Every structure is written in C-alpha cells, then in structure tokens.
Amino acid sequence: MSKIDSANMLRFLDMLLKHGNYTKAAKDLYISQPYLTQTIQNAEKELGIEIINRKSSPLQLTDAGRIYYQYLNSLETEKNNFEKQILRYSSPNNTVIRLGVLSSLGTYLLPLFINSYLSNHPKVKIELHEDIPEANEKKTLNGEIDFLLGQNPETISPKLTVKDRGTHGYFAIIPKTSPYFQKGRKSLEPNSISLKNLLTEQLVLTTHGSAIRRQVDYLLQKYRVTPNVILESNNIFTTAKLATSGLGVTLLPESIYVYPNADEFNIYPLPQSVISLDYFIAYQADKTLNQAEQDLIDSFLNNLQRNIDADPTLL
C-alpha cells in the first residue's frame, strides 16, 4: 500500500475532485502544481494502478482510484474512532461521556442542557453518537455509549435504567390542500376537528420504527383507519417541510418548531390525553455513575422540567 500519508493523500484527492484540474487544486492546497502531480504519480507507481483518469475533463477517479479513495476514507474513519476510544484512557484527568441521540431529536434536547452542563464541567468531553433509536439502544446495552436520549420510554429494554420527564404534546399540520384547512388562521381550536377524520387525509409520516410513528400507528389502529400515506421519511424535519408545502397532513411533537403561515397551513393542537410523549435519558441498569455522569442526568432532567414549567408554546 502507498507509503504516502493517507490523510494528506485524501485531502489532495478531495481537492483534485472538487476542482477537476491540478492547477486549481494545488492553489487551494497551498502547494505547487508540480508537487501535487508528482505526489499522485508516486502513489500510482507504488500501487501499480492509475488513480486519476486523465482523459476525462474535469479529472475523475478511475475504477481502481475509487477503490483507493474509499480505502483512504475508511482509514480516516477508523483513526477517528480509535482516537475517540483511546481518549478515555489517555486523558485520565478528563471525562469522556458518550451520548446517543437521534439527530432530529438532538436539535431540540441538546440545547436545553448541554451548554449549562459543560460550563460547569469544563473538563468533560461530550462524544455524540447520532443514530436511529434502535441502534443507539443496542450501543447503550453493549457499553459502546454511556447514555441514550430518547422519547417514549415504554419500549426501552428493562436492562436500562430510564429517567424521564414530561409530558409533551403533539400538533398536526393541516395544509391548504386539505378540506379541513381554514384560510387566515394560524392555529385551530383544540377538539374542533375529529382526529379520526384527520387521519383519513393524505399523510406524510416518519418511517416505521420511530417513536413518533409508533404513536401514530397506535392512533390509526385505535380509530380503525387504513392510512393513505403519501410519503415516509426518517427525518422529522423533512415530513414537517413536506406537510407545510401541501403534500399532506402530518403529526409532530411540540419540540419541532414550525413557523406559522396562515395562508398555507393550519397548526392544530392535539389533546395530550390522546397522544403525548415523555423525553428520557437511559443508561445500563448496573452502571455505577460518577459525579460528572450524575450531574449530566440532573442537568438534563432539571432543564427539561424548566422548559415544561415555562410552558413554551410553538403555536
């Protein structure tokens, strides 16, 4: 394998693919064009392959070059993972807390407490693992991450200790394409529309397996509605955007902010007695918490409670 530093080679190739020629790439890399050309040629000589297809304009990778490029990326990923793991042992004076959360959920939960927590714990390093809930729950059970942030703890493994705080509500987005839309009204009165009727509309939903979808599916079963799902997405912000653009009705937790537009859609609050959620932090049941970890849990719960007590309305 090439003796040239993998990080530098990956950086060189990234810039070369970005610009499609050696001159502009070298300029952005702050190196000479002959040096960049020679570096690529030396790598090709060592590997016994052509990395760059010089017959194409702009320059592109050859088939072998793409394999090499993927290899370089994998090396950097492995190196980054190694550095994160070893940091827990190489820096005994610092605490690394690995926190798992769905990225769309993290945009709401993390700002509530991370800033204040880290200001009180400057030596703590937070390592985020943004993945789907099922994957992060498995990582928590396996000890690959320390804490899991999520919503609706009812289905979490009994091998995890769960600390939850709630309750938060849901609202529906009713676009102007729906017969239930009322032009000129940002939000509609609670209980003014039959939820069963609303669920028979064209729906834009998150994919199966998400905590939100599980609750929506429960409602569909409760009201014996066969849903007309136009599109599914694993990103709650995508479903929100599609609903507000008129594709169909969607149900969102109040943690998702939607800027009102009375000419395009209504916001319809749903009763918490019908659909609601609790946010939680979970960790291995047999885990012995250090002070920094206990403070993280307390910070999460206390700041979330303050958010509830403030009763912020997104409507």
Side-chain angles (χ1 to χ4, degrees), residues 85-225:
Q85 293 174 25
I86 208 67
L87 181 64
R88 298 172 64 85
Y89 305 98
S90 62
S91 303
N93 294 326
N94 293 317
T95 300
V96 178
I97 295 179
R98 301 163 298 177
L99 195 60
V101 65
L102 180 67
S103 58
S104 58
L105 181 60
T107 60
Y108 169 65
L109 291 180
L110 294 175
L112 294 180
F113 73 100
I114 283 294
N115 288 353
S116 61
Y117 174 77
L118 290 178
S119 66
N120 293 321
H121 296 80
K123 291 187 176 182
V124 172
K125 179 178 175 59
I126 299 294
E127 181 184 304
L128 279 182
H129 291 248
E130 296 177 290
D131 207 337
I132 60 174
E134 291 85 353
N136 275 331
E137 181 178 347
K138 185 178 293 185
K139 289 179 182 178
T140 308
L141 289 167
N142 293 338
E144 298 174 48
I145 59 178
D146 301 300
F147 295 98
L148 167 65
L149 298 181
Q151 54 195 17
N152 295 326
E154 296 85 1
T155 59
I156 291 297
S157 168
K159 294 182 180 180
L160 296 178
T161 296
V162 176
K163 305 289 185 180
D164 65 327
R165 195 59 49 94
T167 298
H168 291 69
Y170 276 79
F171 62 93
I173 295 294
I174 304 176
K176 64 181 181 181
T177 51
S178 168
Y180 298 104
F181 172 73
Q182 299 179 34
K183 186 176 176 59
R185 301 193 62 179
K186 293 181 180 179
S187 62
L188 305 182
E189 291 296 322
N191 301 312
S192 60
I193 300 175
S194 163
L195 183 54
K196 180 176 181 178
N197 291 342
L198 199 59
L199 291 171
T200 62
E201 288 288 282
Q202 292 184 349
L203 300 177
V204 183
L205 301 177
T206 53
T207 52
H208 289 284
S210 71
I212 295 172
R213 182 58 183 269
R214 282 197 296 269
Q215 290 202 306
V216 174
D217 285 343
Y218 166 76
L219 289 179
L220 293 168
Q221 293 174 7
K222 177 180 179 180
Y223 292 108
R224 298 180 181 179
V225 172

Side-chain angles (χ1 to χ4, degrees), residues 12-22 25 36 52 59:
F12 288 177
L13 290 178
D14 279 336
M15 201 62 68
L16 193 56
L17 293 172
K18 174 183 176 181
H19 292 290
N21 69 73
Y22 283 95
L36 177 58
I52 302 298
L59 295 175

